């Protein structure tokens, strides 16, 4: 059982925020508070029971809101005020809010895991914080500092620890949002911004569970194009894919795989995940040139693959290479690492053999081992949140 005193102690955070500016390329983010500012997060009461009353053996990827959410606002000078935890619920938003009228918003996805010893951990949260900062610059938004972001995610996970599934049963999906919450009529950045986080326990993203995916290549619709916002996790990248995705699912497919919008011959990514193609000892994935999202799981799988001796290439991957590929798989925070069983393109279906010796299964096993603490984390990716 969780001890109340221990939980409350963990929830009280007094973080001196260092007056530094995060530098990404040639861009600077002035969202850090002054050095004298302390972030005091009001602790929410913890529940005595260790787990929420859920059928952990049948978790899907549906919304099951955990008890608490986190909010933090930025009203002026690109400085986010101290955040706070509160009971999960609706938020008040002006009809003229920038996010409602002009789509000024970003989101991230992070998973909190429960280890065999009961401790909770996060996987590469600083990478998510940096990606949100890059996206915020593209969308003309201030963003929380990396420390503010990570501390907020920790507080959210700790306050909702009874919703973190038992080891091997899933994860607590933590969803940070950054939105233009201030009212604006003309096309311009919003005058106020809200950073909020909620969480939900999840299992497999696809309804197929761990079964191989069935992808459909759509050359009519495009997810992104050069010069657009396809390389950042903007909310505006997702609603436009609902039409082709819905049509594909109605026909029995798992997801849609998109081609480049210029030549319509190179792979880009699926609606919700990145794509990898395996041939022999070489693993290829489309290069991140502003039209695909640089997934955290994508980056992790590439590093693991190189460490295991595979040759990893980031390059233009012609759709024709799918015919000769030994294996194809997808990656993403929600998706994990999922093997592809079939890909349908121009009325023809390509099938891939499934076996226990798939490259993606080896990579996924290593990734999960690191996340769960079974395999040594020599990369320094796992962040404990109980300490």
């Amino acid at each position: 059982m969780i001890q109340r005193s221990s939980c409350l102690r963990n929830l009280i955070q007094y973080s001196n925020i260092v007056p530094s500016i995060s530098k990404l390329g040639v861009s600077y983010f002035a969202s850090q508070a002054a050095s004298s500012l302390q972030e005091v997060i009001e602790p929410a009461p913890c529940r005595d029971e260790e787990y929420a009353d859920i059928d952990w053996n049948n978790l899907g990827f549906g919304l099951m809101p955990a008890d608490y959410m986190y909010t933090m606002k930025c009203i002026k000078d690109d400085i986010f005020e101290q955040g706070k935890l509160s009971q999960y619920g609706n938020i008040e938003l002006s009809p003229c809010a920038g996010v409602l009228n002009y789509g000024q918003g970003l989101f991230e996805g992070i998973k909190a895991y429960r280890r065999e010893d009961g401790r909770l951990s996060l996987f590469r949260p600083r990478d998510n914080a940096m990606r949100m900062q890059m996206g915020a610059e593209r969308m003309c938004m201030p963003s929380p500092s990396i420390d503010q972001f990570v501390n907020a995610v920790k507080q959210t996970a700790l306050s909702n620890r009874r919703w973190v599934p038992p080891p091997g049963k899933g994860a607590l999906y933590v969803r940070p949002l950054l939105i233009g919450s201030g009212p604006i009529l003309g096309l311009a950045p919003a005058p106020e911004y809200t950073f909020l986080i909620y969480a939900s326990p999840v299992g497999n993203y696809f309804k197929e569970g761990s079964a191989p995916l069935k992808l459909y290549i759509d050359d009519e619709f495009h997810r992104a194009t050069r010069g657009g916002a396809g390389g950042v996790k903007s909310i505006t990248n997702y609603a436009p894919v609902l039409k082709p995705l819905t049509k594909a699912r109605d026909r029995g497919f798992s997801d849609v795989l998109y081609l480049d919008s210029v030549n319509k011959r190179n792979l880009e990514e699926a609606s919700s995940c990145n794509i990898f193609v395996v041939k022999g000892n070489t693993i290829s994935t489309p290069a991140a040139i502003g039209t695909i999202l640089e997934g955290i799981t994508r980056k992790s799988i590439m590093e693991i693959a190189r460490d295991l001796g595979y040759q990893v290439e980031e390059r233009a991957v012609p759709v024709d290479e799918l015919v000769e590929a030994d294996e194809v798989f997808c990656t993403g925070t929600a998706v994990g690492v999922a093997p592809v069983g079939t890909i349908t393109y121009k009325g023809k279906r390509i099938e891939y053999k499934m076996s226990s010796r798939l490259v993606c299964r080896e990579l996924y096993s290593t990734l999960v081992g690191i996340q769960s603490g079974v395999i040594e984390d020599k990369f320094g990716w796992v962040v404990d949140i109980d300490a």
Side-chain angles (χ1 to χ4, degrees):
M1 299 294 290
I2 298 173
Q3 298 298 316
R4 182 179 297 270
S5 59
S6 174
C7 192
L8 288 175
R9 182 176 65 252
N10 283 329
L11 283 173
I12 301 175
Q13 296 288 325
Y14 296 91
S15 302
N16 289 321
I17 301 174
V18 181
S20 62
I21 296 177
S22 298
K23 183 176 181 181
L24 298 172
V26 296
S27 303
Y28 292 82
F29 300 91
S31 60
Q32 305 252 36
S35 59
S36 60
L37 178 64
Q38 288 186 320
E39 183 184 19
V40 182
I41 300 178
E42 186 69 23
C46 291
R47 307 292 179 90
D48 285 330
E49 58 267 35
E50 185 171 1
Y51 290 112
D53 185 16
I54 296 173
D55 181 2
W56 299 109
N57 293 317
N58 292 291
L59 274 182
F61 204 88
L63 178 61
M64 194 180 300
D67 296 322
Y68 301 103
M69 64 183 190
Y70 180 99
T71 55
M72 180 166 60
K73 288 187 177 292
C74 173
I75 299 177
K76 62 179 181 179
D77 300 326
D78 290 349
I79 296 176
F80 279 84
E81 300 174 347
Q82 69 178 42
K84 65 178 181 179
L85 287 163
S86 61
Q87 195 79 26
Y88 175 88
N90 294 338
I91 62 173
E92 184 175 323
L93 203 59
S94 166
C96 297
V99 66
L100 297 181
N101 290 264
Y102 301 115
Q104 197 180 23
L106 298 161
F107 74 90
E108 282 293 329
I110 306 170
K111 284 181 177 177
Y113 300 89
R114 190 186 298 269
R115 299 189 176 200
E116 292 293 343
D117 60 5
R119 290 185 302 159
L120 304 185
S121 63
L122 299 169
F123 186 71
R124 306 188 74 165
R126 296 181 67 84
D127 291 75
N128 293 93
M130 289 187 287
R131 187 169 66 180
M132 177 167 276
Q133 286 189 333
M134 290 192 295
E137 184 207 21
R138 177 64 178 85
M139 304 295 284
C140 294
M141 307 167 73
S143 62
S145 70
I146 292 175
D147 286 341
Q148 284 177 319
F149 182 102
V150 174
N151 286 337
V153 171
K154 285 183 177 181
Q155 298 307 312
T156 305
L158 276 173
S159 66
N160 293 305
R161 70 176 301 152
R162 76 190 193 99
W163 295 87
V164 183
K169 300 294 185 180
L172 182 69
Y173 186 80
V174 182
R175 171 61 63 85
L177 290 162
L178 179 61
I179 62 174
S181 52
I184 190 78
L185 183 59
L187 181 57
E192 175 188 294
Y193 296 88
T194 298
F195 175 70
L196 62 90
I197 308 174
Y198 65 90
S200 174
V202 298
N204 287 315
Y205 179 79
F206 291 107
K207 67 178 182 180
E208 294 90 342
S210 58
L213 304 182
K214 301 175 183 177
L215 300 185
Y216 175 77
I217 295 181
D218 196 318
D219 57 4
E220 176 186 0
F221 295 95
H222 299 286
R223 180 189 169 275
T225 190
R226 295 285 186 93
V232 300
K233 209 165 177 64
S234 165
I235 62 173
T236 56
N237 288 334
Y238 293 86
V241 305
L242 293 179
K243 183 173 183 178
L245 180 59
T246 300
K247 289 172 61 178
R249 285 177 174 171
D250 288 344
R251 297 173 57 191
F253 296 102
S254 312
D255 205 342
V256 175
L257 180 57
Y258 300 93
L259 303 179
D260 74 285
S261 62
V262 178
N263 301 307
K264 296 187 178 184
R265 69 165 179 256
N266 294 323
L267 302 180
E268 294 227 312
E269 65 178 324
S271 305
S272 57
C273 46
N274 296 119
I275 192 83
F276 286 82
V277 177
V278 181
K279 182 65 176 177
N281 196 56
T282 301
I283 302 175
S284 302
T285 191
I289 54 176
T291 56
I292 71 167
L293 188 69
E294 294 189 64
I296 309 300
T297 307
R298 170 184 179 271
K299 180 164 59 174
S300 303
I301 286 298
M302 288 194 295
E303 293 182 53
I304 290 172
R306 291 190 179 104
D307 186 63
L308 292 176
Y310 291 98
Q311 179 180 339
V312 180
E313 298 178 346
E314 289 184 84
R315 59 177 175 83
V317 182
V319 65
D320 295 340
E321 290 190 15
L322 293 175
V323 177
E324 300 298 328
D326 298 329
E327 179 184 338
V328 177
F329 63 90
C330 294
T331 66
T333 298
V335 174
V337 180
V340 174
T342 66
I343 298 179
T344 300
Y345 178 48
K346 292 187 179 297
K348 296 181 180 180
R349 186 173 67 181
I350 306 169
E351 297 188 8
Y352 301 98
K353 295 180 179 179
M354 295 293 110
S355 76
S356 60
R357 301 181 64 182
L358 290 177
V359 171
C360 71
R361 296 197 192 282
E362 178 186 12
L363 298 175
Y364 183 53
S365 177
T366 304
L367 177 66
V368 171
I370 294 172
Q371 292 170 337
S372 63
V374 175
I375 295 177
E376 179 188 0
D377 176 24
K378 60 184 178 182
F379 301 99
W381 291 339
V382 175
V383 176
D384 290 331
I385 55 178
D386 282 314

